[in-house]
Amino acid sequence: MNDFEDSWMTIPGAFEHNCNAEGDPPVPINVEDKLQWSLIDLERTGGFTGKIAKMLLSAGDWIDKEIEERRNTIGGIDNLWFLLTDAADFNPVCACTYTLKGKLSLEKLYSSANRQAKRFPKFRQRITSVGRRLHGARFADDPEFSLKNHIRAVSLPEPAGRVELNELMGEFIAQDWDLSRPLWEMILVENYHDEDGAQCAVITRGHHALADGQGFVISQLYITSYHDDLVHMMNSSANNLRAARRGQLPPSKIHPLLRFLDPLADNSLIGPLLQLLLALVFWFAYITSTCVSLFWSVYQGVNQATLFLLTCWRIDMLTGPQPGPRVKAREFASSRVFSISEVKLCQQAFSGPRPGSAVAGVPRDKRDKARSKAGHITLNDVVCAVMADVLGREIEAKSVGQSRGPRETVRKWLKKYLPSPIGFFIPISLRQPGDWSMRNLSTGSLVYLNPSLELTRDAPVHELHAHIHRCRAELSLLKHSLWPKLLFYIIQMTGQAPVFLRLSLLANPAQRMKTWITQWITKPLYELALQSFSVVLTKLVAISRIIHVPGPAKNPITLEGVEVLKWTALPPQAGKGTIGMGIISYAGGISIAVAADAVPASQGIARRICDGFEERFQLYVQRAREILDHID
């Protein structure tokens, strides 16, 4: 056995390490092991062949270690957040607020967070190895993890209402991150109350490297009364997709009109043939949709590239000017809750080629299920159309108030001759059904939307209809484009070697050179990208076609037995002057949340956007009712 206790025995691989009764060496148990033992024998022979074998063994050892290293490092998207933070004024924070109909104790919140940390290990892990050139950072267990470092209780100054909660939230999301601890925090606001009957509130935030927005929301829902429904929806979605790929999904679940085929699926003779046919149909539809997406991707790529080059250097930001460093403080506000039924009124009235055509001749009690064969609009189409109007009006008012000067004169002249749409960066989820991981599985794309041609309260029905469908056309391009997915995989691969995303890492450890590259190359490029649009818009809605987040769309949920009255979710802002906006449906309602830089020249911008959304949305609902009443 002594011959087999040399240092080269540490070569990675699966071996039977126990010798047999005669003391013979361990026996290789697979092809890889046999190859390694053969190379070991050649190495012992010495000479040129032995040197080559030794080199191959060393290379194999390095490859094994490298594979293990890559397996433990975070993905390129996750690593990108740290590179952006270090080189630009960017805080990758995802946040949520909950207002509760009852009192929640700090002990119960600890209990919920403990369940959450057990189910999602990243809540107990801290980031390590940030800033390496050829390897990403890693999450490792925090030996000093304690919930007391992440959860605390506070009391707001009186009257302890929405204004005070918004101010606290603005301070909360503006805080820097302590990378020596797990990247999340919760605050229990013990004395919050409002006109809806709330008696306390919980606010929480997580670093974007901890999870993408969808993963963060899933982890929040897991500790509520929605837990069982969430588990069922996630697992059933995965099972249904797996069954559809194999043709094993009951025909009635594919489409109600195929219900008559259900008995045939159980037939021992016809069932296998039907299963094969359904599988072929699934993959034919998949391949066809991919081909269609390739076609639209070319158009979308040309369209987006053109608009980006025409607008990225003259963006109308919603906040006031910040000639120096970016302000540290943030504003936060949220809107009141609107009924989903009002959104459905807009869908009924504005779907189809003409106002009201989708439900013309359909009885009132059956209009919810009516869909136009062409031009059906979704919740996203309605909300984005309203938001484009709100932001367009805010930009218009801001331009009027700006001081006159050569630069402003040139900007106004350019707006006459060049397109000036509002750039929305919209995240897109690539998460597969049943994926519970906290990895970043989201990509995104720019969508350029123009406000309605009529921004007053006298906007006619036909203009609102045309405006919604213009927005719908742009969002449809995003849904069918493959570019965001391709971009995701490119960043995932290149981000495993961070030097490709931040050139200054080449200068390690030459600090002066590293600082120079960051200041004059990396930072300007990052800031150009982060300030080339005005809004980061995340739609975390249960019926979203852009981001599929299973959520409690109909009924309220409870947190440790206390009912959640209102829930908001917020994505990170991008560069200086941009706003972050989250739109979420919950318990039959929809609301928005807005975060913005707290610039004195535009103080109250977050609140104005929420108020403007409430006002403009009601105008759309009013016009929708007029259309439906006219049909009746």
Side-chain angles (χ1 to χ4, degrees), residues 98-103 160-162 165 189-202 562-566:
Y98 307 87
T99 60
L100 305 173
K101 189 179 181 179
K103 289 290 186 179
R162 294 186 188 276
L165 182 65
V189 186
E190 295 180 314
N191 65 333
Y192 174 77
H193 52 271
D194 58 29
E195 62 275 12
D196 295 329
Q199 298 179 29
C200 68
V202 174
V562 183
E563 181 181 329
V564 177
L565 286 173
K566 183 181 178 182

Side-chain angles (χ1 to χ4, degrees), residues 571-616:
Q573 295 171 250
K576 181 194 299 184
T578 64
I579 66 171
M581 183 181 302
I583 303 171
I584 193 164
S585 68
Y586 167 68
I590 181 173
S591 63
I592 70 168
V594 178
D597 294 350
V599 182
S602 56
Q603 186 175 2
I605 178 68
R607 181 72 266 159
R608 287 197 303 275
I609 291 175
C610 290
D611 292 343
F613 184 87
E614 293 175 6
E615 177 188 348
R616 191 68 178 179

Side-chain angles (χ1 to χ4, degrees), residues 454-567:
E454 180 55 72
L455 293 178
T456 68
R457 290 199 59 82
D458 297 326
V461 164
H462 288 279
E463 170 53 28
L464 295 185
H465 177 271
H467 172 53
I468 291 177
H469 282 266
R470 287 192 292 267
C471 292
R472 173 184 170 274
E474 294 298 326
L475 291 171
S476 294
L477 282 177
L478 171 61
K479 296 171 188 175
H480 292 100
S481 177
L482 296 178
W483 286 115
K485 184 181 293 187
L486 178 62
L487 178 64
F488 171 82
Y489 290 115
I490 289 174
I491 295 179
Q492 283 292 79
M493 289 186 292
T494 56
Q496 284 289 315
V499 69
F500 289 118
L501 298 177
R502 187 179 171 191
L503 295 176
S504 59
L505 294 176
L506 285 171
N508 285 347
Q511 189 60 42
R512 293 183 63 182
M513 178 63 71
K514 182 178 179 180
T515 302
W516 187 90
I517 295 175
T518 298
Q519 185 67 30
W520 298 104
I521 300 178
T522 308
K523 187 177 177 67
L525 289 174
Y526 279 176
E527 289 183 343
L528 174 64
L530 292 172
Q531 297 178 37
S532 62
F533 50 89
S534 302
V535 187
V536 177
L537 176 63
T538 298
K539 294 184 287 300
L540 296 169
V541 293
I543 56 175
S544 170
R545 291 189 177 185
I546 293 181
I547 296 184
H548 298 270
V549 175
K554 296 181 179 179
N555 301 313
I557 60 177
T558 61
L559 178 62
E560 292 295 332
V562 183
E563 181 181 329
V564 177
L565 286 173
K566 183 181 178 182
W567 177 24

Side-chain angles (χ1 to χ4, degrees), residues 356-370:
S357 61
V359 294
V362 179
R364 277 182 175 270
D365 58 344
K366 296 183 180 179
R367 286 178 179 174
D368 283 349
K369 298 180 181 180

Side-chain angles (χ1 to χ4, degrees), residues 332-400:
F332 174 83
S334 62
S335 72
R336 69 178 180 84
V337 178
F338 303 93
S339 172
I340 288 291
S341 63
E342 293 181 316
V343 178
K344 290 182 178 179
L345 285 178
C346 293
Q347 289 181 278
Q348 295 169 15
F350 293 113
S351 290
R354 296 175 305 280
S357 61
V359 294
V362 179
R364 277 182 175 270
D365 58 344
K366 296 183 180 179
R367 286 178 179 174
D368 283 349
K369 298 180 181 180
R371 288 179 61 93
S372 176
K373 293 182 179 179
H376 178 76
I377 65 171
T378 67
L379 181 152
N380 293 321
D381 301 328
V382 175
V383 170
C384 286
V386 175
M387 190 50 61
D389 288 351
V390 173
L391 301 184
R393 190 161 56 184
E394 185 68 31
I395 290 173
E396 187 178 276
K398 177 173 170 282
S399 300
V400 172

